Amino acid sequence: MQNCDLRGRTKMTFQYSLSLTLRFAKATIILQGAIRQAPGFWTHTCIQSFTSGPASSPSASSCVELLGKSYPRDDYTNVTGKILSKVGKYLHNQSYHPLWLIKERIKDHFYKEYTGRYGTPLFSVYDNLCPVVTTEQNFDSLLIPPDHPSRKKGDNYYINCMHMLRAHTSAHQRDLVLSGLDAFLVVGDVYRRDEVDSSHYPVFHQMEGVRLFTNHELFARVQNGKDLQLFERGRRTPCKQESHSLEAVKLVEFDLKQTLSKLMTHLFGARLEIRWVDCYFPFTHPSFEMEIKFQGDWLEVLGCGVMEQQLVSSAGAHEKIGWAFGLGLERLAMILYEIPDIRLFWSEDERFLKQFHMKHIDQKVTFQPLSKYPPLVNDISFWLPCEGYIENDFYDLVRSVGGDLVEKVSLVDQFTHPKTKKVSHCYRITYRHMERTLTQDEVCVVHKAIEESAVQELGVEGRF
């Protein structure tokens, strides 16, 4: 559950994603000749993207083939071959992967801490749900309005106007409640178009938690609880929804914060400092973000809140009230294991992976950095088109062409021509291989491909 980013509407069509894949394939073929057969996950990823992307078959121009299904393309299609190559990897289910370790530690905590009447785990876990969801599941089921900025193509990976790669595990929330579940955890890969740096990647992993209460379950241990009710006809305030009683909301809020505080203490230790910040999500009210103090800094680690009753009722649980939370597994793993770069989670280098082979999931481990290879920095400048340019489109293009060679992209200069009023952007692209030293000749091949793609696909005017 994350705050929604406000950005402009993109005009990309399915031809854009197809062209990106073809250009990426071209750059890959060039690089295979330029780069000697050195080991590295980026080379492996490039080849994989080329063979599994939408340009790899004659039907690519009309359909997206994904997980054994065929989806017709339309004007909404913007998913690229680079992203499609990540679908089905399920890093969180690969034994001894750091994301698997985090998932297992959280799951183990919930299994032991919360049990039912007969000693069985109260929470069920779902970690293999399909990442392809409908736009109705991803947005409408969560009460996200049709004109909400979080729906923009600039922020999401659409397969077509009806289907997309889920932007959050909350997309499964209503369906699981509708199936009769009262307490569950959902773990999975989620997809968002975003900036390029060491803490952002277009594919990351979330865990969603939901807990529902009946009137009896919530008030059973409260003095005179039989006289209290979950619902009332009131008004919405900053503290509660119009249909919830204040007593019910305060108990649900207390249970939510206690549950999450216990979880973070389990992961980080008893001396952990925690604070709560009020925030907004469309599907909870009141809503909160948890921050933990780590190495002197306050870090946001999750979002949560009391579920909107309209959402709960639409899933058939009219007589129940509940809470929900969402957290990022990469975020926790980077803090807990001191992993400096999010790209490392996709590495197949044994020097990285073997560090997390341990006898017990709670065993303390601190990532020992691989040799830090030097970066190479190249700038790219261009005039923006009159309309339709979105920064995330450029970031996505750089990721598609440059792959995991690109460590960071930052906007370092903006200029408006005093006479023509044309706007120029200058971006600094930092290239760094995670496993060996790059040469400037190798990087120039990729950088040239990015320049050409930016001109042809985004309509910019190069200042190269």
Side-chain angles (χ1 to χ4, degrees):
M1 300 166 69
Q2 307 220 351
N3 283 321
C4 303
D5 199 5
L6 303 176
R7 298 188 178 97
R9 175 169 289 277
T10 179
K11 292 188 174 181
M12 288 196 336
T13 62
F14 74 87
Q15 288 92 346
Y16 167 63
S17 59
L18 180 60
S19 299
L20 274 185
T21 304
L22 292 171
R23 286 205 160 272
F24 179 55
K26 177 182 177 183
T28 302
I29 294 170
I30 294 172
L31 279 172
Q32 285 176 342
I35 300 176
R36 291 170 293 188
Q37 296 297 319
F41 67 88
W42 180 77
T43 303
H44 171 80
T45 303
C46 286
I47 296 171
Q48 190 173 48
S49 298
F50 174 47
T51 57
S52 63
S56 61
S57 70
S59 62
S61 59
S62 60
C63 290
V64 175
E65 303 291 338
L66 186 58
L67 300 177
K69 292 186 178 181
S70 180
Y71 300 89
R73 292 175 177 266
D74 59 24
D75 288 347
Y76 258 75
T77 306
N78 66 354
V79 65
T80 64
K82 174 70 175 178
I83 297 302
L84 291 176
S85 73
K86 304 293 187 183
V87 178
K89 294 294 186 182
Y90 299 114
L91 299 184
H92 60 286
N93 288 338
Q94 296 181 16
S95 297
Y96 302 107
H97 191 280
L99 298 180
W100 176 85
L101 284 175
I102 288 286
K103 181 198 74 173
E104 290 299 310
R105 289 190 65 185
I106 296 174
K107 186 173 75 173
D108 183 65
H109 170 75
F110 272 89
Y111 278 179
K112 291 178 178 178
E113 191 72 24
Y114 307 99
T115 56
R117 183 181 303 176
Y118 303 106
T120 55
L122 182 65
F123 284 82
S124 52
V125 177
Y126 300 86
D127 59 9
N128 201 29
L129 299 178
C130 181
V132 179
V133 298
T134 65
T135 53
E136 195 276 338
Q137 287 174 301
N138 199 81
F139 299 119
D140 300 277
S141 74
L142 297 168
L143 312 179
I144 298 174
D147 59 348
H148 198 277
S150 65
R151 292 177 180 254
K152 291 181 179 179
K153 286 172 63 178
D155 293 342
N156 300 285
Y157 288 104
Y158 282 92
I159 297 173
N160 54 39
C161 64
M162 298 294 292
H163 296 87
M164 64 186 298
L165 295 174
R166 63 188 168 209
H168 41 216
T169 47
S170 306
H172 304 286
Q173 194 177 104
R174 187 194 59 186
D175 292 338
L176 292 174
V177 173
L178 192 61
S179 72
L181 295 173
D182 286 340
F184 57 84
L185 303 175
V186 181
V187 191
D189 43 331
V190 299
Y191 300 78
R192 294 184 194 169
R193 304 177 78 208
D194 211 334
E195 56 193 293
V196 182
D197 58 35
S198 62
S199 62
H200 291 85
Y201 203 78
V203 190
F204 57 104
H205 298 75
Q206 277 190 344
M207 174 177 284
E208 181 88 5
V210 168
R211 174 77 168 101
L212 300 181
F213 302 89
T214 63
N215 201 93
H216 173 74
E217 288 170 333
L218 191 62
F219 295 126
R221 298 182 182 180
V222 177
Q223 187 176 6
N224 299 321
K226 292 181 179 180
D227 300 327
L228 300 176
Q229 297 295 323
L230 297 179
F231 306 109
E232 67 178 20
R233 291 185 178 180
R235 62 185 181 89
R236 180 173 289 246
T237 71
C239 299
K240 62 180 283 296
Q241 298 171 39
E242 55 270 33
S243 61
H244 292 162
S245 69
L246 184 60
E247 296 85 359
V249 169
K250 289 303 179 184
L251 282 175
V252 171
E253 180 183 327
F254 175 80
D255 187 84
L256 168 64
K257 291 181 176 180
Q258 184 182 57
T259 299
L260 295 175
S261 295
K262 284 183 178 179
L263 171 61
M264 290 300 144
T265 299
H266 169 71
L267 293 176
F268 291 94
R271 301 180 64 181
L272 181 70
E273 291 185 57
I274 295 173
R275 70 182 183 187
W276 298 94
V277 179
D278 294 340
C279 63
Y280 166 78
F281 301 116
F283 29 81
T284 55
H285 180 75
S287 302
F288 314 96
E289 287 180 342
M290 174 194 272
E291 296 183 350
I292 64 172
K293 197 167 190 180
F294 184 76
Q295 295 183 348
D297 295 321
W298 286 103
L299 304 176
E300 184 265 314
V301 291
L302 60 82
C304 61
V306 179
M307 295 173 68
E308 283 284 353
Q309 194 59 37
Q310 183 182 342
L311 190 161
V312 177
S313 297
S314 71
H318 306 83
E319 304 302 320
K320 297 176 182 178
I321 187 175
W323 53 248
F325 73 84
L327 56 82
L329 296 185
E330 279 90 348
R331 178 79 165 159
L332 289 180
M334 292 177 79
I335 297 172
L336 194 62
Y337 302 137
E338 299 183 24
I339 297 173
D341 195 312
I342 196 169
R343 292 177 299 163
L344 280 165
F345 292 107
W346 294 90
S347 175
E348 296 180 354
D349 190 332
E350 280 300 313
R351 293 176 299 168
F352 172 73
L353 296 174
K354 70 181 181 181
Q355 296 188 38
F356 301 95
H357 281 253
M358 54 192 71
K359 295 181 179 179
H360 191 274
I361 57 174
D362 288 322
Q363 182 178 332
K364 183 176 175 57
V365 59
T366 300
F367 170 65
Q368 299 301 316
L370 310 179
S371 298
K372 189 78 169 181
Y373 296 100
L376 289 173
V377 178
N378 286 17
D379 290 351
I380 178 172
S381 300
F382 46 75
W383 296 106
L384 306 189
C386 295
E387 60 179 15
Y389 177 81
I390 294 176
E391 207 160 10
N392 272 1
D393 291 349
F394 178 67
Y395 293 150
D396 208 39
L397 182 147
V398 173
R399 287 189 189 279
S400 293
V401 178
D404 288 339
L405 272 188
V406 179
E407 179 178 82
K408 185 177 181 180
V409 180
S410 54
L411 178 63
V412 294
D413 186 50
Q414 298 183 68
F415 169 72
T416 301
H417 195 284
K419 293 183 178 180
T420 65
K421 303 302 179 184
K422 292 173 64 175
V423 178
S424 171
H425 278 190
C426 177
Y427 294 91
R428 181 152 296 157
I429 304 178
T430 303
Y431 299 89
R432 191 199 306 264
H433 202 296
M434 303 296 289
E435 297 161 12
R436 66 178 183 83
T437 300
L438 286 171
T439 68
Q440 186 62 50
D441 288 343
E442 293 169 348
V443 168
C444 280
V445 174
V446 182
H447 199 74
K448 182 68 174 178
I450 292 173
E451 291 175 342
E452 293 177 357
S453 294
V455 171
Q456 296 193 22
E457 312 307 335
L458 301 182
V460 303
E461 181 184 341
R463 302 180 66 190
F464 315 138

